[in-house]
Amino acid sequence: MKKIVLKKSSAEEAAKPQKNYKIRYADELNAAQLEAVMHDTGAALIVAGAGTGKTRTLVYRVARLIEDGVAPESILILTFTRKSASEMLRRAAHLLDGRCEAVSGGTFHSFAHSLLRRSPRHLEALGFNGSFSVLDQSDAEDVVNLLRAQIAGGSEKADKNSKRRFPRKQALFDIFSTSANCVKTVASVVKAEYPQYEQETPAIEQLHGLYVGYKRRHNLMDYDDLLTHFLSIIRSAPEMKRDLQQRYRYIMVDEYQDTNQLQHDIVLELGGYHENVMAVGDDAQSIYSFRGANFENIMHFPDSFRHCAVIKLEENFRSTQPILSLTNEIISRAAFGYQKELYSRKSGSTMPAIIRTDNEQEQSQLIVQQVLELREQGVPLDEIAVLVRSGFHSFDLELELNRANIPYQKFGGFKFVETAHIKDIIAHLRVVANPKDAVSWNRILLLLEGVGPRTAAKIIDAITDGTVTLDNAHNVGSIIKSDENIRVLFSVLAKAAAQTQNVGEIAWQIIEFYRPLMKKKYDDYKKRLKDVETFGGIAERYRSINSLLSDMAIDPPVESVEDVAATGKDDEFLTISTIHSAKGLEWNTVFLIWALDGRFPPVRSFDTPDTIEEERRLFYVACTRAKERLFITHPINIFDRESGMVLGKVSRFIEGIPDSLADYFQVTQEEE
DNA sequence: TTGTCCCACTTTTTT
DNA sequence: AGTGGGACAA
């Protein structure tokens, strides 16, 4: 028989004699928040709807624990982005005092990464050493592709017809990654997610084995490996686990709805002894299923502990009631019932607007005009955001903003470190840090004239088996016909490896070497050169190549290309952001553009109910970012190349919303 | 073996 | 539209 624990009511809790706290918790928080903040030991799940003061609650709890004498170092906050971790600690420090800065925090990946680096002994047991390189997704895909070519090369002749069916690198990597994140076998992932490749399962499994072996041999880890290897180390090294459990007595995990099985397992290992784990999240805001998160996970969280308090935050402090009424309606149409009806005490007379325009330019012009008007009315640019489903949805708008001289920063979408030329530079640094890094070797060798895949492979083999090292480049001559370029390359790298210069100097030398290569490779050389120089500037800030590299891989600059290069950032700016990157943030005024069925939700999500539901939650997240004004815009009759369809309907998520919940507008051009 | 040209396909979203 | 891969010529 199961036990039911009767909890103290929050009234009783508040009536308890308060200790002598510096902060007046009872006055500054509502009952549910207070209950969460005062929660002491044992597991707890905080189900916090959008805008209900989730971050505030976490911040206050940190302060409260410290006021009660808990050592700041023994608190660990795992968050979704590095930004939100530092923001939280900053707020806590502001609220209480500098002690809060000593709280440990970061993303799962950065946390695992730093512990791995600090455990060389355990790494060696796994076949790695402390100077491993971190592969980002595209690097990892390149490795998979390399191996894929080897397998295909062998079997190609045998059955050329079936070659067509073999999954591409992206699909393969996705299978491996899902398998790691959901802690499932490769075969079962193929069966569930890629049934069309089921007959290829043995080859896919073989490839997976090769991939795992390759990474180990070359001292490489992808994002998933940071977590899986960390987990296997703490599982196999009891003394280390005990040490960590001892060190982190209080664990808080933010955005729990977006964690996956692997991350959940890590939380259990770390918090399994004290069970002082507090998870915070909202099932209605789960938007990372493509990374293995499942919104149901958060609901099963209590099952993993002997006791788990469940606290719901339902009062929204962010948005006005008209906005909430609309967002409540949007989420209530979901196929799965989320047991939540948010309410707000903020009245407000402005209704959300749903605006139809004839085409994309009109939509962009409308935004520009509205932004200018809002600014007249005294809404600062910092308080305005334009949210998009996918990064490229804002291209036209960006042109229009430039024309109108409205400064903006873009978050999400294509990132600085993902551009080819920056990856080239980084590859040079990577081989210095980890000479076994064959992917990077391959990348930089192919840049040289006269070096193709074949020659590159020869050189890499020689490096891997030790015939050639950075400082005895002349050995290269015995393998291939030596060449001026290669000698220069090796001398630059050898000099870097000698560690007589600082990181900035090394980076600039590599840039010098790379510059002529880049000039030949790209016709927009000038633009790219600027990026490369920006990178040089960034590199100067680092004390070691390794820390530069891990930051670039795990915690890269979030701004997209143009902004990193842009100077004078301190000015006020408008925010353009993907919805995924807007998570947890809020603005006075939010524009959600391209709310067109087929764009949002995208055509490709139409097939399965699960993906549509995820899109719906995404739409919900977007709308709940608005405090006072919400504009949803959509052009009409847009030809979609991808599907070959003409898109002519407003997004299904707001189709048929009654006039009582939103004002409808149609944009028309002014008559001359 | 490398380099070039052309065609097909692809694009979410992030660590 | 821009990349990646395959076919083919040098």
Side-chain angles (χ1 to χ4, degrees), chain A residues 338-533:
Chain A
Y338 302 98
Q339 306 293 315
K340 227 168 286 134
E341 175 85 14
L342 299 179
Y343 63 96
S344 171
R345 294 182 215 177
K346 284 170 77 176
S347 47
S349 48
T350 326
M351 292 253 276
I354 299 177
I355 306 173
R356 190 165 101 176
T357 68
D358 282 338
N359 51 50
E360 181 170 18
Q361 289 87 359
E362 229 177 71
Q363 178 176 249
S364 305
Q365 287 162 11
L366 169 80
I367 306 284
V368 168
Q369 188 175 315
Q370 291 288 328
V371 167
L372 292 174
E373 241 168 68
L374 285 163
R375 202 159 52 165
E376 299 268 288
Q377 290 169 28
V379 181
L381 279 183
D382 294 331
E383 278 294 333
I384 306 175
V386 178
L387 302 184
V388 290
R389 172 65 185 87
S390 313
F392 68 88
H393 287 172
S394 65
F395 286 170
D396 185 72
L397 174 64
E398 289 175 50
L399 293 178
E400 205 64 38
L401 287 168
N402 280 329
R403 208 167 302 155
N405 259 326
I406 300 175
Y408 65 88
Q409 252 198 61
K410 188 174 171 186
F411 298 90
F414 207 62
K415 276 189 252 28
F416 183 64
V417 284
E418 287 166 5
T419 54
H421 45 294
I422 297 297
K423 296 205 73 149
D424 286 343
I425 300 283
I426 290 178
H428 287 83
L429 289 165
R430 287 229 305 231
V431 298
V432 173
N434 173 17
K436 284 174 161 181
D437 185 339
V439 209
S440 298
W441 272 118
N442 198 40
R443 187 175 187 110
I444 58 186
L445 290 171
L446 285 178
L447 289 170
L448 305 175
E449 199 169 342
V451 180
R454 217 71 197 208
T455 317
K458 270 192 212 156
I459 300 176
I460 291 168
D461 281 347
I463 293 167
T464 315
D465 64 28
T467 337
V468 170
T469 59
L470 281 181
D471 38 1
N472 70 348
H474 54 272
N475 273 4
V476 180
S478 61
I479 296 153
I480 54 144
K481 208 173 78 179
S482 192
D483 158 87
E484 175 66 15
N485 273 330
I486 292 184
R487 273 213 331 250
V488 179
L489 171 67
F490 270 73
S491 81
V492 169
L493 296 179
K495 220 161 138 192
Q499 295 198 331
T500 49
Q501 308 154 289
N502 63 43
V503 181
E505 285 166 350
I506 294 173
W508 284 113
Q509 280 197 12
I510 290 172
I511 291 170
E512 261 327 292
F513 172 75
Y514 177 66
R515 192 166 26 189
L517 302 175
M518 180 172 61
K519 196 167 184 175
K520 249 190 56 198
K521 194 171 162 191
Y522 303 105
D523 34 7
D524 55 349
Y525 157 77
K526 278 222 165 109
K527 211 172 88 200
R528 292 176 191 259
L529 180 62
K530 248 188 168 159
D531 288 345
V532 169
E533 282 170 350

Side-chain angles (χ1 to χ4, degrees), chain A residues 521-557:
Chain A
K521 194 171 162 191
Y522 303 105
D523 34 7
D524 55 349
Y525 157 77
K526 278 222 165 109
K527 211 172 88 200
R528 292 176 191 259
L529 180 62
K530 248 188 168 159
D531 288 345
V532 169
E533 282 170 350
T534 307
F535 182 83
I538 293 176
E540 286 170 7
R541 301 205 288 261
Y542 285 85
R543 293 223 327 278
S544 79
I545 293 184
N546 259 323
S547 60
L548 169 64
L549 289 176
S550 25
D551 261 19
M552 288 304 126
I554 295 171
D555 194 27

